[in-house]
Amino acid sequence: MYKIGAIILAAGQSKRMGKPKLFLPYQGIPIIHYPVKMAVQNHLTPIVVVGGKNYDQLKKELEIYHQKISIIYNERYEIGMSTSLIAGVNSLNGELDAVLIFLGDQPLVADEVIKNLINTYQKNKKNGVYIVRPRYKQSPGHPILFDKSLLKQFQHIKGDEGGKSIIKTNEEHLRYVDFKQSDWNLDIDTKEDYDQLINNILNKGV
């Protein structure tokens, strides 16, 4: 059994939303709770949440998980997502085999996704699969699993690119896992995205 950690990116400035999006409610719970709960219930360890502009509010919001997660402050958050990834990778303590990187603004990612990504990695690492990524109706999404052997490469990413360059460089080690539900890949970046999220509840009669 491999030991898999989690980095949850929560340092975005919510410029397009106009207010801190991670604290907006979905089914009565702030959006940021969803990726955190997903990581906790799948026994990922360590779990690192990377905050920025709204770090104090983030820390207060997630204090109920204080024994299971660590929350770090990325002082360079204004430069882009790359700095949060680097901060998250640098904060990982102890031995681990891989890390799952979550976006803090994706509340619809299903437990089925996490379990399938982990299972695919465990079955195929010996065959050279070091990156496992979900694909929702043929659209690549998150969270993404990276083997520990690739973590040093995060030191070279810049701006807001995320892990795209690492994936491109290591395409021969990439395995996709396909899912039919495109809504699982919804990022809450704008008011329209949030409206779509709320409509998701209404359409399902929740």
Side-chain angles (χ1 to χ4, degrees):
M1 185 66 70
Y2 294 114
K3 183 178 179 182
I4 300 174
I7 295 172
I8 300 172
L9 303 177
Q13 300 180 68
S14 302
K15 288 182 177 179
R16 284 185 283 173
M17 181 66 73
K19 54 185 174 182
K21 61 184 179 181
L22 298 184
F23 309 114
L24 294 174
Y26 173 59
Q27 293 185 317
I29 302 171
I31 287 171
I32 185 57
H33 282 261
Y34 287 88
V36 174
K37 287 171 65 178
M38 196 64 64
V40 169
Q41 71 187 32
N42 279 282
H43 309 291
L44 303 182
T45 183
I47 299 171
V48 178
V49 181
V50 185
K53 181 178 181 179
N54 301 296
Y55 173 77
D56 291 336
Q57 186 177 356
L58 183 71
K59 195 170 183 180
K60 184 176 181 181
E61 185 62 52
L62 298 179
E63 62 186 359
I64 60 172
Y65 305 102
H66 72 279
Q67 293 182 326
K68 298 179 180 179
I69 71 173
S70 60
I71 306 171
I72 65 171
Y73 176 66
N74 171 23
E75 60 184 18
R76 302 170 64 230
Y77 68 88
E78 292 183 68
I79 298 175
M81 185 188 296
S82 62
T83 62
S84 290
L85 283 166
I86 293 169
V89 168
N90 289 344
S91 73
L92 294 173
N93 297 316
E95 292 295 320
L96 78 166
D97 297 288
V99 63
L100 266 165
I101 297 175
F102 293 78
L103 301 182
D105 62 355
Q106 284 195 321
L108 297 181
V109 174
D111 188 68
E112 175 186 336
V113 174
I114 311 306
K115 287 181 166 50
N116 271 277
L117 296 180
I118 293 172
N119 188 49
T120 298
Y121 171 71
Q122 291 176 337
K123 287 184 176 180
N124 295 282
K125 179 179 179 177
K126 291 180 180 178
N127 299 322
V129 173
Y130 300 143
I131 306 172
V132 186
R133 185 173 196 181
R135 202 160 45 184
Y136 305 97
K137 283 192 176 179
Q138 297 303 307
S139 178
H142 287 78
I144 307 173
L145 185 149
F146 290 91
D147 184 78
K148 66 178 179 181
S149 63
L150 302 178
L151 295 184
K152 288 182 180 179
Q153 297 182 29
F154 280 92
Q155 303 301 325
H156 306 295
I157 62 176
K158 297 179 181 180
D160 213 30
E161 71 167 273
K164 290 180 181 178
S165 61
I166 298 172
I167 294 172
K168 188 173 182 179
T169 302
N170 298 278
E171 279 185 321
E172 71 273 20
H173 299 295
L174 170 65
R175 175 71 60 87
Y176 283 109
V177 181
D178 287 299
F179 301 95
K180 296 179 180 179
Q181 295 85 348
S182 60
D183 59 331
W184 288 355
N185 198 32
L186 179 64
D187 293 344
I188 311 304
D189 291 322
T190 65
K191 183 181 182 299
E192 289 72 26
D193 295 331
Y194 185 60
D195 289 342
Q196 184 178 341
L197 177 67
I198 300 306
N199 287 335
N200 181 74
I201 305 175
L202 300 175
N203 292 338
K204 293 184 178 180
V206 175

